[in-house]
């Protein structure tokens, strides 16, 4: 995230704090009125319940906006109100507070808030800045190769091989950095991974880990290559923090697959989608901004009535929800979410000021997975969300992705075709679907073995993943077939794109012992806008594919009515 976006988010956080303080000033006026009604004995049960709900909200938000003592006072007072109303199982009849105790607690809370008056008044009025233009490009896997002068040619050759897979590769000499972190370019944290010789891993690790980077962004993983494949060389790589070691001659498809795996692991948390359900709008927006500052997509929902609609629209990977949402219970809402099989595996975490372990355990039995107690620091929120989203992504991948290629499974990629067909029809833009099939794949298996056939399949999967955009969907349709969905792309542009990928794929060499062989693929393309459902579009792409196979394979054909 660039400095302009960071500044924008910082300003919005100031706006939220200012809004919280304005709201607090109004709350204090209402609480003072209730305290007086408690003093003269005219407060109604409805007013007491409303006060308890307001105190719950204040207990959760005050600490987040910089007033932890006020939040703790509100939490303690909320418990007393619940005990008075008979809603707190901890409060027995002999412990039930009286009205004067509630009134005294309210006046103490008001006094504490007024004592912080100078700090509250010191928040400058901040106008909401203009939103920066959103980035329109997808993620590009960028590799940084660091070496000394003697090994430069060796890594330059490896660089050329990796570029054919669609990686953006820079080869740089270690001397450029002077062996010190201070001379390392500040763009190093933007690289997806770093490759070096295992004998230089100590110097490279010192340079990489010494740079001052965003604490919420992990260092690029280091992969090492070398001529000696033994315990000592591998241990050296591991001891200096390396994530992989590849002895020479390098198994290029395996290296590409490992790079892909490590890059996906590193960015998984940054690509997460988190929904926050809280009736405190300022607090929910604060959480969203904090998460957005580290690249997490977040959406706030303050009205429980639209929760299910928002779930289907946003499709979050994690749901954070308060257990008290005005007249609605977060526990009941969590149970309701689980009514639909689609959301059975969605992690639900209560984000609430409730700190009693017994009540937390009872709430968790309603269908949630964990409890985070407000106030939650920004740092703890970021780390917790990233960790839980990463785990949720791992579980989702086990269920939804093909184990060999890590691409979408057959049923899911078919769903993506239909979803994109509906979207492009509604949005009035062009989209295409592509069906690819590896040529003479049976011959590969029969000649070189099924293990080598798997290498070919994984290689094409990796090439597609690197050459296509993040917005494109890729799936293993079956065996050696792949299905691709290309939004905002007409058939002509899709044909040119797939042709370029084909040219790169047929240049790749697969080695078995002393023998080298090459492979090609055939592809058929259909324009999604031309069909009434996704299955028809896939069938059209399949006809175009087999027309290409009949015409000699090793090429791309676009569907037309004559096929």
């Amino acid at each position: 995230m660039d400095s302009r976006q960071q500044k924008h988010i910082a300003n919005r956080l100031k706006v939220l704090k200012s809004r919280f303080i304005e709201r607090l000033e109004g709350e204090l006026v209402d609480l003072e009125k209730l305290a007086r009604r408690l003093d003269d004995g005219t407060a109604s049960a409805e007013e007491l319940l409303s006060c308890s709900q307001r105190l719950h909200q204040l207990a959760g938000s005050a600490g987040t906006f910089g007033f932890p003592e006020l939040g703790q006072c509100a939490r303690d007072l909320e418990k007393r109100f619940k005990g008075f109303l008979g809603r707190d199982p901890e409060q027995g009849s002999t412990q039930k507070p009286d009205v004067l105790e509630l009134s005294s607690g309210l006046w103490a809370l008001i006094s504490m808030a007024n004592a912080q008056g100078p700090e509250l008044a010191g928040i400058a009025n901040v106008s909401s800045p203009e939103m920066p233009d959103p980035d329109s490009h997808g993620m590009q896997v960028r590799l940084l190769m660091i070496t000394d002068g003697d090994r430069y040619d060796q890594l330059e050759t490896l660089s050329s091989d990796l570029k054919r897979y669609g990686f953006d590769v820079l080869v740089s000499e270690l001397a450029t950095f002077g062996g010190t972190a201070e001379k390392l370019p500040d763009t190093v944290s933007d690289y997806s991974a770093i490759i070096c010789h295992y004998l230089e891993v100590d110097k490279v690790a010192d340079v990489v880990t010494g740079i001052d980077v965003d604490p919420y962004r992990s260092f690029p993983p280091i992969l090492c290559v070398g001529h000696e494949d033994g315990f000592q060389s591998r241990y050296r790589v591991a001891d200096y923090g390396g994530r992989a070691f590849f002895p020479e001659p390098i198994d290029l498809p395996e290296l590409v697959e490992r790079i892909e795996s490590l890059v996906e692991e590193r960015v998984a948390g940054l690509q997460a989608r988190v929904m926050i359900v809280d009736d405190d709008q300022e607090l929910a927006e604060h959480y969203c901004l904090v998460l957005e500052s580290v690249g997490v997509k977040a959406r706030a929902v303050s009205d429980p009535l639209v929760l299910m609609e928002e779930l289907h629209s946003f499709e979050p990977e994690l749901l954070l929800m308060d257990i008290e949402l005005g007249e609605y219970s977060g526990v009941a809402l969590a149970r309701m979410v689980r009514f639909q099989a689609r959301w059975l595996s969605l992690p639900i975490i209560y984000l609430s000021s409730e700190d009693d372990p017994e009540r937390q355990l009872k709430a968790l039995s309603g269908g949630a997975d964990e409890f985070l107690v407000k106030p939650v620091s920004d740092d703890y929120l970021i780390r917790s969300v990233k960790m839980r989203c990463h785990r949720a992504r791992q579980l989702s991948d086990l269920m939804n992705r093909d184990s060999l290629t890590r691409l979408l499974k057959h049923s899911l990629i078919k769903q993506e075709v239909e979803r994109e067909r509906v979207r492009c029809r509604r949005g009035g833009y062009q989209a295409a679907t592509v069906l690819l099939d590896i040529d003479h794949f049976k011959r590969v298996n029969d000649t070189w073995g099924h293990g080598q056939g798997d290498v070919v399949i994984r290689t094409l999967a990796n090439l597609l993943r690197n050459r296509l955009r993040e917005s494109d969907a890729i799936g293993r349709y079956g065996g050696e077939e792949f299905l691709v969905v290309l939004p905002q792309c007409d058939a002509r542009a899709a044909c040119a794109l797939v042709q370029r990928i084909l040219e790169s794929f047929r240049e790749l060499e697969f080695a078995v012992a002393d023998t080298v062989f090459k492979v090609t693929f055939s592809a058929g393309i259909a324009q999604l806008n031309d069909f009434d459902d996704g299955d028809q579009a896939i069938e059209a792409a399949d006809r175009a594919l087999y027309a290409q196979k009949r015409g000699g394979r090793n090429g791309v054909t676009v569907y037309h009515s004559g096929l």
Side-chain angles (χ1 to χ4, degrees):
M1 182 171 293
D2 61 31
S3 59
R4 183 184 176 190
Q5 291 172 308
Q6 291 285 5
K7 183 178 180 181
H8 163 74
I9 288 177
N11 285 336
R12 287 182 65 189
L13 289 172
K14 290 180 181 178
V15 171
L16 282 177
K17 187 169 184 178
S18 180
R19 281 166 48 187
F20 165 77
I21 291 170
E22 290 176 2
R23 190 189 78 194
L24 178 59
E25 291 172 348
E27 292 283 355
L28 291 176
V29 171
D30 292 339
L31 291 177
E32 185 173 341
K33 291 179 180 178
L34 178 62
R36 296 186 186 281
R37 292 175 67 80
L38 285 170
D39 288 340
D40 60 26
T42 60
S44 67
E46 290 77 11
E47 287 176 316
L48 294 177
L49 177 59
S50 174
C51 183
S52 175
Q53 293 171 342
R54 290 184 177 190
L55 290 169
H56 176 83
Q57 195 174 80
L58 182 59
S61 58
T64 298
F65 290 111
F67 307 101
E69 296 84 0
L70 190 63
Q72 185 60 51
C73 182
R75 176 180 285 106
D76 295 339
L77 188 55
E78 177 202 1
K79 291 179 180 179
R80 281 190 264 171
F81 268 79
K82 285 182 175 179
F84 182 83
L85 293 167
R87 290 171 174 258
D88 192 337
E90 279 190 300
Q91 298 282 0
S93 58
T94 59
Q95 299 175 313
K96 188 173 182 177
D98 58 27
V99 173
L100 291 179
E101 186 179 344
L102 297 181
S103 172
S104 175
L106 271 181
W107 284 117
L109 177 71
I110 294 166
S111 177
M112 176 181 290
N114 288 332
Q116 295 178 325
E119 184 178 357
L120 297 179
I123 303 298
N125 293 324
V126 184
S127 60
S128 297
E130 302 246 345
M131 281 291 291
D133 294 333
D135 292 336
S136 59
H137 56 81
M139 183 190 71
Q140 170 69 49
V141 177
R142 304 176 63 208
L143 304 179
L144 176 62
M145 292 186 172
I146 304 178
T147 180
D148 62 18
D150 295 337
R151 299 184 177 93
Y152 190 91
D153 292 341
Q154 177 188 7
L155 287 191
E156 185 68 38
T157 300
L158 179 59
S159 168
S160 299
D161 292 336
L162 290 173
K163 285 178 181 178
R164 289 202 292 269
Y165 281 85
F167 294 124
D168 180 9
V169 188
L170 171 67
V171 181
S172 183
E173 294 188 31
L174 188 60
T176 302
F177 307 127
T180 62
E182 289 78 8
K183 295 186 178 181
L184 191 64
D186 57 8
T187 57
V188 70
S189 60
D190 293 327
Y191 281 90
S192 308
I194 294 174
I195 299 176
C196 68
H197 193 276
Y198 82 99
L199 291 177
E200 299 165 353
V201 65
D202 54 339
K203 299 175 183 177
V204 172
D206 181 61
V207 168
V208 172
T209 58
I211 192 170
D212 182 20
V213 297
D214 185 333
Y216 302 115
R217 296 187 65 180
S218 58
F219 296 115
I222 299 175
L223 299 90
C224 295
V225 298
H227 56 280
E228 295 183 12
D229 184 15
F231 176 85
Q232 293 300 331
S233 55
R234 290 177 177 270
Y235 184 82
R236 175 182 174 81
V237 172
D239 191 34
Y240 283 103
R243 301 294 302 277
F245 175 77
F246 291 87
E248 299 168 351
I250 296 172
D251 185 331
L252 196 60
E254 184 180 352
L255 172 61
V256 170
E257 183 179 1
R258 182 63 61 85
I259 292 171
E260 285 283 347
S261 176
L262 290 173
V263 170
E264 287 181 5
E265 177 183 327
R266 184 177 179 227
V267 304
L270 301 180
Q271 295 179 337
R273 295 183 308 279
V274 178
M275 180 172 286
I276 300 167
V277 184
D278 199 312
D279 57 349
D280 187 331
Q281 296 184 24
E282 285 83 11
L283 184 61
E285 189 174 348
H286 174 93
Y287 290 148
C288 285
L289 287 172
V290 168
L291 294 175
E292 288 169 3
S293 71
V294 293
V296 175
K297 295 179 180 178
R299 179 178 294 185
V301 175
S302 58
D303 183 1
L305 295 178
V306 300
L307 173 59
M308 299 309 297
E309 178 184 343
E310 292 289 340
L311 279 174
H312 287 278
S313 171
F314 188 60
E315 297 186 344
E317 296 172 286
L318 181 68
L319 180 62
L320 299 177
M321 183 159 57
D322 199 348
I323 60 172
E324 293 189 19
L325 298 158
E327 61 181 302
Y328 296 97
S329 162
V331 178
L333 289 172
R335 191 179 296 119
M336 187 180 75
V337 168
R338 300 297 193 205
F339 285 176
Q340 297 188 12
R342 179 179 183 180
W343 307 118
L344 286 175
S345 61
L346 175 67
I348 301 177
I349 298 177
Y350 291 133
L351 190 60
S352 173
S353 57
E354 177 58 64
D355 60 356
D356 176 60
E358 288 297 325
R359 298 190 69 183
Q360 288 181 1
L361 190 61
K362 183 178 180 181
L364 289 172
S365 66
D369 303 285
E370 201 170 344
F371 226 104
L372 292 181
V373 179
K374 296 178 181 177
V376 180
S377 70
D378 295 349
D379 176 79
Y380 191 81
L381 177 68
I382 290 170
R383 296 181 187 276
S384 297
V385 165
K386 289 180 66 177
M387 178 182 67
R388 288 163 177 80
C389 283
H390 177 59
R391 181 58 178 160
R393 182 74 59 85
Q394 288 179 319
L395 294 175
S396 176
D397 285 350
L398 286 175
M399 294 186 295
N400 300 327
R401 295 190 177 271
D402 172 64
S403 59
L404 179 63
T405 63
R406 303 196 315 279
L407 300 178
L408 292 175
K409 291 182 178 179
H410 176 91
S411 60
L412 292 175
I413 189 60
K414 285 190 65 177
Q415 291 177 16
E416 285 299 318
V417 172
E418 175 58 19
R419 287 179 183 176
E420 183 54 36
R421 187 196 66 82
V422 172
R423 283 193 292 261
C424 72
R425 281 282 189 91
R426 184 173 59 239
Y429 61 84
Q430 300 291 309
T433 186
V434 186
L435 191 61
L436 301 90
D437 185 84
I438 298 175
D439 296 328
H440 302 298
F441 187 72
K442 184 176 184 302
R443 186 185 304 170
V444 172
N445 281 335
D446 292 345
T447 305
W448 312 112
H450 289 274
Q452 195 61 39
D454 288 347
V455 170
V456 173
I457 288 175
R458 289 202 312 268
T459 299
L460 180 53
N462 290 329
L463 186 62
L464 290 171
R465 198 162 23 228
N466 279 286
R467 286 299 184 87
L468 298 177
R469 303 164 297 179
E470 283 185 284
S471 58
D472 301 330
I474 319 169
R476 188 179 181 191
Y477 195 63
E480 67 275 19
E481 285 187 316
F482 299 82
L483 187 60
V484 177
V485 182
L486 302 172
Q488 301 283 356
C489 183
D490 60 26
R492 181 178 178 182
C495 182
L497 171 63
V498 176
Q499 185 63 45
R500 290 194 298 270
I501 295 174
L502 172 58
E503 291 169 0
S504 296
F505 183 65
R506 62 191 177 202
E507 291 178 2
L508 298 176
E509 295 182 342
F510 299 90
V512 180
D514 295 331
T515 306
V516 173
F517 68 95
K518 295 185 177 183
V519 185
T520 62
F521 67 75
S522 301
I525 298 175
Q527 190 82 43
L528 277 176
N529 312 66
D530 297 339
F531 301 93
D532 293 328
D533 64 59
D535 286 341
Q536 291 180 3
I538 295 173
E539 182 181 351
D542 189 47
R543 290 184 182 179
L545 167 64
Y546 278 93
Q548 177 60 47
K549 283 187 172 292
R550 289 192 301 269
R553 297 182 170 83
N554 189 20
V556 186
T557 296
V558 177
Y559 173 81
H560 56 82
S561 58
L563 293 179

